Amino acid sequence: MPMFLCPCCGEAYFVPLAFSEYILEEHFSKGWNGSIAPARCLACQGQIHSGDAVVVRNGKGVTPAGDRQEIPANSKATVVEVSTWEGEGSIFLVRLSSGEEVYLTRAQLSLEKSRRAR
Ligand SMILES: [Zn+2]
């Protein structure tokens, strides 16, 4: 199984060949090459909407006051607001279980597993 990088978060993951052979072939024919995966990794799949339960994967967030804050990995949080700029992706305001709110990117979040299996 080849290993690829998620085009959203950069996480390395395996793509089962049997599963993606057709997609890979199509990408190659369009000039795609290298190790960028033809699809986002599992954690980056799925739309995140306000009200969704999410898990913070890693990194620092920015508080509404503008301070950078380290968020412990695997913190549970609830999405309060989604800000989208055309072509530039989204920023998510999430409320941690401590009640604090921070801004994070899609690549730092994943949907809680129970929600993803909808
Ligand atoms: Zn990803």
Side-chain angles (χ1 to χ4, degrees):
M1 287 197 296
M3 187 175 261
F4 293 102
L5 300 175
C6 171
C8 179
C9 68
E11 194 93 354
Y13 71 100
F14 288 108
V15 177
L17 248 199
F19 187 68
S20 61
E21 211 163 349
Y22 170 76
I23 305 169
L24 287 174
E25 216 165 89
E26 197 188 307
H27 276 70
F28 278 126
S29 73
K30 288 178 181 162
W32 170 88
N33 59 48
S35 53
I36 303 295
R40 292 175 171 212
C41 72
L42 262 185
C44 289
Q45 286 176 23
Q47 286 264 346
I48 293 181
H49 304 282
S50 62
D52 280 348
V54 292
V55 176
V56 180
R57 294 155 67 186
N58 55 48
K60 293 190 171 76
V62 175
T63 67
D67 298 319
R68 277 172 74 82
Q69 192 176 319
E70 185 83 41
I71 314 295
N74 301 317
S75 299
K76 291 193 173 189
T78 306
V79 178
V80 177
E81 192 187 297
V82 184
S83 307
T84 306
W85 287 269
E86 190 92 24
E88 300 291 347
S90 302
I91 297 291
F92 300 84
L93 178 64
V94 306
R95 186 181 296 123
L96 302 165
S97 50
S98 63
E100 287 174 299
E101 294 186 352
V102 286
Y103 291 100
L104 295 166
T105 64
R106 179 64 184 85
Q108 293 176 284
L109 300 172
S110 59
L111 282 164
E112 264 203 83
K113 283 188 177 70
S114 54
R115 296 294 298 261
R116 201 187 296 147
R118 269 181 296 189

